[in-house]
Amino acid sequence: MARQPAKTLWYDRPRYVFLEFCVEDSQDVKVVIEEQRLVFSCKNADGVEFYNEINLYARVNSKDSQEKRSDRSITCFIRKWKEKVAWPRITKENIKPAWLSVDFDNWRDWEGDEEVERAMVEQYAELLQKVTDKGPPPAMDDLDFATRVVSCGAAELRPEGGGEPVRGFQVVLEDTILFPEGGGQPDDRGLIGDVPVLRVTRRGAEAVHFVRTALEPGAQVLLSLDWERRFDHMQQHSGQHLITAIADLMFGFKTTSWELGRQRSVIELDTPSMTAEQIEALERSVNEKIRERVPVTVRELAADDPEVETVRSRGLPDDHTGPVRVVSIEGIDSNMCCGTHVSNLSDLQVIKLLGTEKGKKNKTNLVFLAGNRVLKSIEQSHSTEKALTSLLKNGPGEHVEAVKRLQSSVKLLQKNNLNLLRDIAVLIARDFKSKPVQSELFVLHRKEGDSEFMNIIANEIGTEETLLFLTVGDEKEAGLFLLAGPVEAVENLGPRVAELLGGKGAGKRGRFQGKATKMSQRGEVQALLQEFISRQSPEV
Ligand SMILES: [Zn+2]
């Protein structure tokens, strides 16, 4: 779906706002008037669907509002919630949507203009009776935007996590709905037609879209937005503004920077520390503000507007041009910011402060989650808890104690195991020595064992006459080996044994030990050693 330019006239009256859209030959015209929003959609002669919406300047009574189609115009009859309060403009934000060409001059002072309004109400009385059923607005997951390709040039993109640069193209569009990186907020994702946008960056006043497929300059394209990612960023960013403002109000802690992370976000506060009580009080206060449903508004001020001096700011980028954008949480904070924000704190749902970490140079990093991230985090914790409950066979309240008990019993077992292993090594060596005739080759493999186990055996047996080949570890996989015996033989055979076992080793003074990757080759090693011994003593 696309957005259609709509010529619009509007009239502000003490109790009503009249709005008139002028449309081309269109069908399936739908108008939905909600408390804060007006949705307008239709299809053109080719069956292409159009969808437009306005956030209304102030709250209206949707039940007492109506609309009517007559020929090419659609008239909306909107009942104000607060009577006799003038609307200086029709939209909530002081930015005119690209598709809406509003005649702003229609507003006029209606002090004492009740007569005129009464006449107008009568004129619309007929309309009210003929109103057709209201249809639902189109699905909100549709956020397409029609625009045109201005330029497209070959470029490379360095992936965020490092690695090989990706070849592609940098595309500039006439206008965009994708937010480029800025103000601590990561960039949006979306599609140009069906081509995925992998990165959006800012170049002066322009947004540059990185894509893998070239796009034709001049081509008309539909742009769509990954709304889930955007809304998540809006929740974290507005959440940051709120926490920053309240931390300043309550404790005078200034925010020096912040980072919107993939999992969690961090606000750097200019204080060496924060107590648990302060964190708790801050969390309580920000959540109170969310429950109070405080509106968040965006305004654009001229760069030389004296009000610019009064808002919170960490400075504008060097290449900034044009008006200054100010984001205000009503009655709490005004902040120079280019980011995308919720229109009311209630959209944040909830904020969870996860505590603080030591920051750089006497600063404190405050970690937080906002909105859906809180739910996701609880979901993760809950499934971990469920898994632990079933593994540990007790309730979440006893998990920590149960793990502590397990850890100390594992430590004890390891200690016992080590002692037993040493005893076994000694017994193996004694058994070998107790035989009346001692063979020239001694081969032993034990799955459970370590380097110490092998060395004890070698020490106990003594290595002057006997060649020892000892291994520990998984029989088919990786493990450790030790070759011990007459110095010359070990020096000669060690590297070949390591090679046969697909491993590495080193040694001196009649010991050669190392790691093996192919324990399955033990048979080959044994054959090699056997052959060596028979060559040394041909009479056997
Ligand atoms: Zn901001």
Side-chain angles (χ1 to χ4, degrees):
M1 279 198 283
R3 292 189 190 247
Q4 184 179 41
K7 280 259 177 263
T8 311
L9 293 174
W10 75 286
Y11 306 89
D12 184 42
R13 290 292 174 268
R15 264 177 277 162
Y16 293 92
V17 168
F18 299 101
L19 190 68
E20 215 169 75
F21 292 112
C22 186
V23 293
E24 286 175 52
D25 184 24
S26 50
Q27 336 145 24
D28 295 341
V29 172
K30 278 177 197 152
V31 176
V32 178
I33 302 165
E34 298 175 6
E35 270 194 8
Q36 299 278 359
R37 194 169 72 125
L38 182 127
V39 177
F40 160 59
S41 63
C42 63
K43 275 185 191 162
N44 73 3
D46 301 328
V48 176
E49 250 182 275
F50 291 95
Y51 174 82
N52 297 320
E53 64 170 58
I54 307 174
N55 283 317
L56 293 168
Y57 176 76
R59 196 173 163 199
V60 301
N61 185 341
S62 58
K63 290 193 181 66
D64 209 3
S65 302
Q66 305 295 350
E67 77 282 342
K68 193 201 173 195
R69 165 94 191 258
S70 61
D71 196 24
R72 286 182 51 199
S73 67
I74 295 144
T75 312
C76 307
F77 189 72
I78 305 169
R79 179 73 182 248
K80 287 181 178 176
W81 192 267
K82 279 189 191 155
E83 294 184 358
K84 297 185 184 177
V85 175
W87 284 25
R89 54 177 196 274
I90 186 78
T91 51
K92 184 173 178 65
E93 294 180 0
N94 196 5
I95 307 161
K96 194 177 68 169
W99 56 271
L100 190 68
S101 79
V102 176
D103 187 345
F104 279 90
D105 297 334
N106 271 293
W107 181 78
R108 62 191 169 99
D109 191 2
W110 38 250
E111 280 298 325
D113 212 352
E114 305 259 327
E115 286 296 319
V116 181
E117 189 180 28
R118 203 162 300 135
M120 219 151 175
V121 170
E122 273 168 24
Q123 187 191 329
Y124 280 94
E126 180 207 346
L127 182 156
L128 279 167
Q129 266 144 36
K130 292 185 183 168
V131 164
T132 51
D133 284 340
K134 291 184 187 182
M140 272 306 289
D141 57 358
D142 194 290
L143 293 156
D144 286 1
F145 176 81
T147 185
R148 208 175 285 277
V149 178
V150 172
S151 68
C152 174
E156 281 191 342
L157 175 72
R158 298 206 164 271
E160 272 165 355
E164 285 295 295
V166 179
R167 280 165 181 278
F169 303 87
Q170 283 186 334
V171 174
V172 174
L173 303 170
E174 233 167 50
D175 198 1
T176 189
I177 50 169
L178 300 192
F179 176 76
E181 290 171 285
Q185 185 179 329
D187 54 343
D188 280 339
R189 293 287 178 272
L191 298 169
I192 304 177
D194 50 10
V195 176
V197 177
L198 304 180
R199 182 76 61 81
V200 190
T201 46
R202 194 177 64 83
R203 194 167 59 195
E206 263 172 11
V208 180
H209 308 73
F210 186 90
V211 292
R212 297 289 299 274
T213 313
L215 295 164
E216 193 67 40
Q220 177 95 33
V221 288
L222 277 185
L223 196 56
S224 58
L225 169 71
D226 178 344
W227 172 247
E228 203 175 311
R229 177 181 165 99
R230 159 73 75 83
F231 186 62
D232 171 52
H233 291 168
M234 283 159 62
Q235 286 189 318
Q236 311 315 311
H237 197 164
S238 300
Q240 175 263 317
H241 278 215
L242 177 62
I243 297 166
T244 286
I246 303 294
D248 192 3
L249 284 171
M250 287 179 85
F251 310 112
F253 297 159
K254 305 283 181 210
T255 292
T256 41
S257 77
W258 87 287
E259 196 199 336
L260 199 172
R262 248 165 233 253
Q263 312 281 339
R264 37 174 244 173
S265 301
V266 175
I267 297 176
E268 186 190 67
L269 293 171
D270 196 4
T271 172
S273 64
M274 234 181 133
T275 64
E277 291 74 31
Q278 284 173 325
I279 296 171
E280 207 189 310
L282 179 58
E283 184 181 272
R284 207 180 314 123
S285 176
V286 294
N287 283 294
E288 263 163 30
K289 297 295 173 203
I290 293 172
R291 286 197 302 276
E292 283 168 19
R293 298 180 168 81
V294 181
V296 180
T297 54
V298 177
R299 285 174 304 149
E300 283 186 350
L301 299 179
D304 57 359
D305 192 314
E307 203 194 324
V308 169
E309 296 298 314
T310 68
V311 304
R312 186 196 303 276
S313 167
R314 283 189 282 120
L316 289 166
D318 291 339
D319 57 352
H320 176 85
T321 53
V324 174
R325 198 160 171 273
V326 175
V327 176
S328 304
I329 304 173
E330 257 173 42
I332 297 172
D333 181 53
S334 267
N335 200 329
M336 214 184 276
C337 178
C338 64
T340 58
H341 289 273
V342 299
S343 56
N344 190 293
L345 288 189
S346 63
D347 285 334
L348 296 183
Q349 299 161 260
V350 62
I351 284 177
K352 178 67 199 159
L353 302 183
L354 295 176
T356 57
E357 290 165 3
K358 209 168 162 40
K360 49 188 176 190
K361 283 190 221 147
N362 268 334
K363 286 176 181 162
T364 298
N365 292 337
L366 177 64
V367 185
F368 76 95
L369 301 174
N372 281 332
R373 288 192 182 193
V374 177
L375 297 181
K376 259 189 206 161
S377 163
I378 289 174
E379 176 59 39
Q380 268 169 10
S381 299
H382 183 64
S383 69
T384 306
E385 202 174 88
K386 255 165 64 185
L388 284 175
T389 298
S390 117
L391 284 171
L392 298 170
K393 311 264 184 293
N394 61 13
E398 289 123 64
H399 284 172
V400 173
E401 275 311 309
V403 170
K404 277 186 188 161
R405 276 200 304 276
L406 275 176
Q407 279 178 337
S408 64
S409 78
V410 164
K411 255 185 212 160
L412 190 67
L413 286 171
Q414 278 171 335
K415 210 171 134 195
N416 290 347
N417 190 37
L418 217 60
N419 288 335
L420 288 171
L421 213 55
R422 286 182 190 132
D423 292 348
I424 292 172
V426 170
L427 290 171
I428 287 172
R430 275 191 201 156
D431 178 53
F432 174 82
K433 289 205 290 193
S434 67
K435 295 203 168 111
V437 182
Q438 284 165 13
S439 64
E440 287 173 83
L441 178 64
F442 178 74
V443 175
L444 180 97
H445 174 78
R446 193 182 155 85
K447 194 174 176 190
E448 298 83 17
D450 58 7
S451 160
E452 197 190 355
F453 168 77
M454 296 190 294
N455 277 294
I456 292 173
I457 297 175
N459 291 342
E460 291 286 318
I461 291 181
T463 53
E464 288 314 308
E465 279 90 41
T466 308
L467 191 57
L468 304 176
F469 175 52
L470 310 174
T471 48
V472 292
D474 193 291
E475 273 150 76
K476 300 256 150 54
E477 313 267 327
L480 302 171
F481 71 89
L482 170 68
L483 188 70
V487 176
E488 213 174 303
V490 169
E491 217 166 80
N492 180 354
L493 292 163
R496 286 161 70 193
V497 169
E499 197 189 326
L500 271 175
L501 293 174
K504 276 183 199 156
K508 53 185 178 186
R509 288 195 293 278
R511 294 270 166 101
F512 190 96
Q513 52 191 327
K515 281 181 185 166
T517 59
K518 292 183 212 156
M519 261 331 189
S520 51
Q521 296 277 91
R522 275 183 304 121
E524 274 79 355
V525 174
Q526 198 170 338
L528 170 83
L529 301 178
Q530 203 76 61
E531 198 213 313
F532 176 83
I533 285 162
S534 33
R535 269 194 281 121
Q536 295 282 301
S537 40
E539 75 274 13
V540 178

